[in-house]
Amino acid sequence: MVKNLAIALGFLITAYFISSSENLKIILSGIAIFLIGMYFMENGFKLFSGGALENILKRFTSNLFKAITTGFLATSIVQSSSLITVIVISFLSVELLTLAQGIGIVFGSNLGSTTTAWIVSSVGLKIKISAYAMPMLIFGVVLRFFKNNTYKGLGNVLLGLGFIFLGISYMKDGFDTLKDSIDLAQFALPGIKGIILYILIGAVATIVIQSSSATMAIIITALSAGNIIYINALALAIGANIGTTVTAIIGSFASNENGKRLAFAHLIFNVITALVAVIFIYSLKDFVDYLAPLFGIGAESFSMKLALFHTIFNLLGIIIVAPFINIIVNLAKRIIKKKVAKSSKPKYLLKSNIEIPNSSLLSLKKECINLYENCQRAMLHALNLHSTKLKTKEDLQKQLMDETRKSNTNIDEIYQTNLKLLYSEIIQYSSFAQEHMTSSQHKVASNFKKSATLIIEVLKDTRDVQKNLDFYLKSKNEYIKKEYNNLREELGNLFIDINGLNNENLSELDKITQIEVIKSTLNKNDLSNSETIDTLIRTQKIKASMATSLINDSATVYSIQKKLVEVAMILFIEDELLKEIGEENNAPK
């Protein structure tokens, strides 16, 4: 109650100060409209690209140069380093990119964010930009009424651009009017004190606004109106670069350790870049003055010079820091250590990925594999097989020859205390993620949900076999003992074969061939088991009660194997579906 009253009081006080100054009202309205534009731009590109943006970031990052270039171009196009950072964090969380690749993209994204300064200084201040905003807003609203996500996304992009242009126009008008009543430049501190003060102001402004692009737009419009002097505008730009790291840090809170490591690397990069820029600020200023005529920038075009300065010191940062990227990666891994998640705790289902379809699908796939691995361990222990010592079929034969003891594995307890929650999280996450998916992506997500259900079913089926298995493996009847050992061998061999499919070096054709071999072996085992049981019954080598148990358990084991093969098809063979989705989303509508 007290908190709500404090918030309401804060809004009232803020409203009073805003309404008391017409200029302040115009400037703050411009900032608000600009931020709304950035929001629409981000959401628009998510819908409009249909996964293309994610595919580009994934495919064109094989080396550091490509990663930096991709980050630069992607940010220049979408005009949001925050969006690129969020996508990179989501890819890192599902281990689709290496940390070095992610850092490279973010370095390039920093450079790409400087294009905002060029747009504002070259276009926003020289023409009546609000005139272009209105048609964009109109067409943007019209396109949002279409059901097709591509048109909706394009509508959001146009709305975003329209609001950004309108926001710049408002800020420009506000600062132009403010200059006549209050000259902020008269409060500027001389020397290094003024530079440090304005760096802090730029950092705080960016942290509050959560957009370095918006901060740069404010700085440029204020500089153009003469509200701040040139050298302090340079310091504000440096501060904005430092402040933007907070976006990555906030975005990493919902991520795993790789997301946090990326935020750490981003912080290091921006702090080092800022230190270099501060130390050499006057040299860089002179260098900009030297380069300006080569770019057709006049001596008094301080807004354009600021954009050039912003680009140069970010490029300088990349040149200085990029050679040490592996050192940064190792330092990040040393400081932010990997946490070992409990079986019941999801490792890959991050909320930040839900609105990015391809990332949420990868999150689901990884989590289903995690569920499969946990269930596999429980099942093997229930079968009196040690999963840590079961890498090859030779390992399996050694374990089968050892004297077995009664298994203490309680599958019901494992399910209730660990895996039930993980299974529930997968189903819930998939339901929320599917709201943002196309029909093709929907199908893949449904398959992942199906695989999770099948995994839980085989776990419970194993529980049904476990009791007889423990009993008959201690039997004095060697025939029934051998048959139950055969069931253990069949399941052990199947797990080894399926685990072999989870190998990135295997081609899709090799995986399909391997799964066909597994299916063939499965059918042979089923026929062989039936014939063997009939023979044992006819020759009276096992009792009728033994035969009944063996028939039921053989049928259950065969059902387990069929379900496991279906799980393997979904998790390890149907990877191509994700590629098909990307191609389908990028196809002309």
Side-chain angles (χ1 to χ4, degrees):
M1 184 65 180
V2 176
K3 183 180 177 182
N4 291 335
L5 286 172
I7 292 171
L9 184 62
F11 271 114
L12 286 172
I13 294 170
T14 305
Y16 171 75
F17 279 110
I18 292 172
S19 60
S20 64
S21 171
E22 188 65 27
N23 297 325
L24 187 61
K25 191 194 304 182
I26 293 171
I27 292 168
L28 291 178
S29 297
I31 295 170
I33 293 168
F34 188 96
L35 290 173
I36 290 170
M38 295 298 291
Y39 171 80
F40 272 107
M41 281 276 286
E42 286 187 17
N43 280 274
F45 272 107
K46 283 180 186 177
L47 287 171
F48 177 63
S49 66
L53 186 58
E54 293 96 311
N55 289 333
I56 289 168
L57 292 178
K58 181 175 67 175
R59 291 179 184 179
F60 299 102
T61 54
S62 57
N63 58 49
L64 183 58
F65 176 76
K66 284 184 178 179
I68 292 172
T69 305
T70 301
F72 166 71
L73 292 174
T75 306
S76 299
I77 293 167
V78 305
Q79 281 298 295
S80 174
S81 60
S82 299
L83 174 60
I84 302 302
T85 302
V86 167
I87 292 173
V88 171
I89 288 174
S90 71
F91 277 10
L92 284 172
S93 68
V94 293
E95 298 171 1
L96 190 60
L97 293 175
T98 66
L99 185 57
Q101 288 174 313
I103 292 172
I105 292 171
V106 169
F107 283 7
S109 181
N110 253 40
L111 184 61
S113 66
T114 65
T115 56
T116 303
W118 285 104
I119 292 169
V120 176
S121 60
S122 61
V123 180
L125 301 178
K126 293 184 178 179
I127 61 175
K128 190 172 177 57
I129 200 169
S130 57
Y132 293 91
M134 298 309 172
M136 290 181 180
L137 292 173
I138 294 167
F139 286 116
V141 169
V142 170
L143 287 169
R144 275 184 57 82
F145 284 102
F146 284 78
K147 291 183 179 179
N148 187 293
N149 279 344
T150 301
Y151 291 126
K152 273 187 179 178
L154 182 58
N156 278 355
V157 170
L158 288 174
L159 277 173
L161 281 171
F163 281 128
I164 286 171
F165 284 6
L166 200 60
I168 292 170
S169 178
Y170 268 92
M171 284 188 281
K172 182 178 179 294
D173 291 344
F175 279 116
D176 281 339
T177 312
L178 187 68
K179 177 67 173 65
D180 297 331
S181 53
I182 302 174
D183 185 7
L184 296 178
Q186 66 179 307
F187 300 107
L189 295 174
I192 195 66
K193 289 182 181 178
I195 290 170
I196 293 172
L197 174 64
Y198 277 88
I199 287 173
L200 290 173
I201 293 171
V204 171
T206 305
I207 291 168
V208 172
I209 298 171
Q210 279 296 290
S211 171
S212 61
S213 297
T215 305
M216 285 304 299
I218 296 167
I219 295 166
I220 290 169
T221 49
L223 176 63
S224 173
N227 293 102
I228 53 175
I229 61 174
Y230 177 50
I231 191 67
N232 288 336
L234 302 184
L236 283 167
I238 296 170
N241 252 43
I242 297 172
T244 195
T245 58
V246 176
T247 301
I249 292 169
I250 292 171
S252 72
F253 287 160
S255 179
N256 61 9
E257 58 280 346
N258 268 337
K260 292 177 175 64
R261 288 166 183 165
L262 179 72
F264 173 77
H266 192 204
L267 179 64
I268 287 178
F269 171 77
N270 279 25
V271 168
I272 290 174
T273 303
L275 284 172
V276 171
V278 170
I279 293 168
F280 299 103
I281 189 167
Y282 291 105
S283 299
L284 287 172
K285 175 179 170 294
D286 293 339
F287 185 54
V288 167
D289 289 339
Y290 170 75
L291 288 178
L294 302 178
F295 288 90
I297 300 171
E300 300 300 317
S301 298
F302 293 115
S303 298
M304 294 283 285
K305 284 185 177 181
L306 174 59
L308 182 58
F309 172 84
H310 194 212
T311 302
I312 287 172
F313 88 77
N314 272 285
L315 182 60
L316 186 63
I318 292 173
I319 293 169
I320 292 170
V321 180
F324 304 99
I325 198 164
N326 289 328
I327 295 173
I328 294 172
V329 168
N330 292 331
L331 182 63
K333 287 180 178 178
R334 193 177 303 168
I335 292 173
I336 303 167
K337 299 188 181 297
K338 188 170 185 177
K339 294 179 181 178
V340 180
K342 294 180 181 178
S343 300
S344 61
K345 185 180 179 182
K347 294 167 68 175
Y348 304 102
L349 303 183
L350 305 177
K351 289 181 180 178
S352 57
N353 290 4
I354 281 183
E355 294 184 4
I356 305 173
N358 283 7
S359 293
S360 60
L361 284 174
L362 286 165
S363 294
L364 281 169
K365 178 184 174 183
K366 289 269 187 179
E367 205 61 67
C368 287
I369 292 173
N370 180 37
L371 177 67
Y372 166 77
E373 289 171 347
N374 281 303
C375 286
Q376 181 187 145
R377 269 193 298 276
M379 290 170 66
L380 287 172
H381 289 161
L383 297 170
N384 245 305
L385 296 170
H386 299 286
S387 58
T388 53
K389 299 176 182 177
L390 194 65
K391 305 298 180 186
T392 64
K393 295 189 177 181
E394 288 75 19
D395 295 336
L396 175 61
Q397 291 304 317
K398 288 177 185 177
Q399 290 196 49
L400 291 171
M401 290 171 66
D402 292 341
E403 186 66 27
T404 56
R405 292 175 293 181
K406 184 178 179 180
S407 172
N408 293 320
T409 302
N410 188 327
I411 286 181
D412 281 324
E413 184 181 343
I414 290 172
Y415 173 69
Q416 291 295 335
T417 58
N418 289 339
L419 302 181
K420 183 178 181 180
L421 178 60
L422 181 55
Y423 172 57
S424 302
E425 291 280 355
I426 289 172
I427 300 301
Q428 183 183 45
Y429 186 90
S430 177
S431 299
F432 282 110
Q434 283 177 297
E435 291 181 25
H436 309 281
M437 293 181 182
T438 63
S439 57
S440 299
Q441 292 165 335
H442 239 281
K443 181 181 175 183
V444 178
S446 297
N447 280 342
F448 288 144
K449 280 199 290 188
K450 182 181 180 182
S451 73
T453 302
L454 289 171
I455 290 165
I456 296 302
E457 285 179 9
V458 299
L459 180 71
K460 292 180 177 180
D461 290 343
T462 305
R463 173 199 58 193
D464 298 336
V465 176
Q466 184 184 10
K467 184 178 178 181
N468 285 337
L469 189 74
D470 284 337
F471 180 77
Y472 287 118
L473 285 176
K474 290 295 181 181
S475 174
K476 292 181 181 179
N477 186 316
E478 291 299 321
Y479 294 102
I480 194 70
K481 185 176 180 179
K482 180 184 177 184
E483 291 309 310
Y484 272 92
N485 239 344
N486 286 342
L487 295 181
R488 291 170 71 211
E489 183 177 7
E490 286 177 18
L491 285 171
N493 277 326
L494 182 61
F495 277 125
I496 292 168
D497 288 337
I498 288 175
N499 292 344
L501 294 172
N502 190 16
N503 183 349
E504 292 180 356
N505 295 323
L506 276 181
S507 68
E508 206 66 27
L509 181 61
D510 288 338
K511 288 183 179 183
I512 292 170
T513 303
Q514 181 63 24
I515 209 76
E516 291 303 320
V517 171
I518 291 171
K519 287 179 181 178
S520 176
T521 304
L522 186 63
N523 290 330
K524 287 178 184 176
N525 287 342
D526 184 45
L527 291 171
S528 175
N529 288 342
S530 299
E531 292 171 1
T532 301
I533 293 170
D534 288 341
T535 303
L536 290 172
I537 292 171
R538 284 196 301 268
T539 56
Q540 296 183 342
K541 289 180 178 177
I542 60 174
K543 296 177 183 178
S545 59
M546 292 179 180
T548 305
S549 296
L550 183 57
I551 289 169
N552 290 335
D553 290 335
S554 292
T556 303
V557 168
Y558 180 65
S559 174
I560 289 171
Q561 290 174 304
K562 286 202 299 182
K563 289 175 182 176
L564 286 173
V565 169
E566 191 171 356
V567 169
M569 288 285 294
I570 294 170
L571 297 183
F572 305 126
I573 303 296
E574 296 181 357
D575 289 354
E576 291 300 310
L577 276 175
L578 293 176
K579 294 179 184 176
E580 289 172 14
I581 287 169
E583 290 169 5
E584 179 183 315
N585 289 334
N586 295 332
K589 303 293 180 184

